[in-house]
Amino acid sequence: MTYDPTGHLLLTPIDREAPVRVKRLRQLGFGDRPDPAFDEFAHHLARVTGAPYSMVNFIDEHRQFFAGLHTPTGDHDNHALSAAVTAVGGEVSRFMDRDHGYCPHVVVRRKALVLEDVCDYPRFAGNPVVDEIGIRSYLGAPLIDRTGIALGTICVVDTEPRPWGRAGLETIKSLAAELIEQIHRREDGGI
């Protein structure tokens, strides 16, 4: 466990790979603007998993960016995700602090994470998204590219507990591999 200088448990893991990730995201042109292909992938992710919310999420040193986003209303401005996705000057902001949510854990662990009910896990139940946004379940997998860098995640969340199980874990891992292939084709000029 990691503690800050005052002795408090840090809920968000230390991310030593962040500077390299930021450089790679810039090289790929990701991480600061919505992308229709990633929005479409988020819609696909929601359809496959039956989840109301899904994201393609890139993470830097301080924040997360939802380059792809699906909400039940499709307007990217839903009350349940208002802390993460808010209207700013008529534009939709897709940024969220790095210490909110579970994707930073997935990136640092470099492994998929299944939380059927976040309240069952004291380490994760204290995350701000539980109280501020109402998230109760999470399923996410890292997006590890050909250079070995974890660029971010794909994830689905719900405001109700969900029995994701082994099938959900295998699905999210398979979908992460599918998106990484799309990213590689795009980098190679194929998309």
Side-chain angles (χ1 to χ4, degrees):
M1 289 191 221
T2 305
Y3 295 87
D4 72 11
T6 64
H8 293 94
L9 177 66
L10 295 175
L11 297 177
T12 305
I14 294 172
D15 184 358
R16 289 175 177 50
E17 193 176 73
V20 175
R21 177 181 317 106
V22 169
K23 183 178 177 182
R24 179 72 172 138
L25 288 171
R26 286 187 184 131
Q27 179 184 29
L28 293 168
F30 300 157
D32 61 358
R33 64 185 177 278
D35 187 304
F38 293 144
D39 277 341
E40 183 53 41
F41 193 86
H43 298 314
H44 171 64
L45 183 58
R47 282 190 303 272
V48 169
T49 63
Y53 304 97
S54 61
M55 285 75 83
V56 174
N57 186 11
F58 297 119
I59 302 172
D60 68 20
E61 296 102 324
H62 308 290
R63 64 186 183 178
Q64 303 174 64
F65 177 70
F66 304 127
L69 179 64
H70 170 85
T71 67
T73 61
D75 64 5
H76 305 145
D77 189 22
N78 183 285
H79 293 293
L81 290 178
S82 61
V85 184
T86 57
V88 177
E91 299 276 327
V92 173
S93 175
R94 296 178 182 224
F95 294 97
M96 187 164 72
D97 288 339
R98 187 180 169 278
D99 64 348
H100 285 58
Y102 308 105
C103 290
H105 294 271
V106 171
V107 166
V108 171
R109 291 168 24 120
R110 302 173 65 86
K111 293 181 182 177
L113 178 63
V114 179
L115 300 172
E116 293 182 343
D117 186 342
V118 298
C119 295
D120 289 343
Y121 303 89
R123 176 179 182 188
F124 297 113
N127 195 285
V129 298
V130 175
D131 293 331
E132 294 175 17
I133 305 174
I135 300 302
R136 285 293 300 273
S137 62
Y138 172 91
L139 178 63
L143 295 170
I144 301 174
D145 79 347
R146 63 175 62 143
T147 68
I149 296 171
L151 301 173
T153 67
I154 60 168
C155 70
V156 294
V157 297
D158 201 336
T159 56
E160 300 293 329
R162 293 281 300 259
W164 304 111
R166 180 160 295 284
L169 175 63
E170 294 306 317
T171 297
I172 201 77
K173 289 165 54 176
S174 174
L175 289 165
E178 182 181 321
L179 184 57
I180 280 296
E181 284 303 313
Q182 288 181 24
I183 289 170
H184 291 161
R185 283 193 305 271
R186 181 187 286 196
E187 183 179 26
D188 294 340
I191 295 182

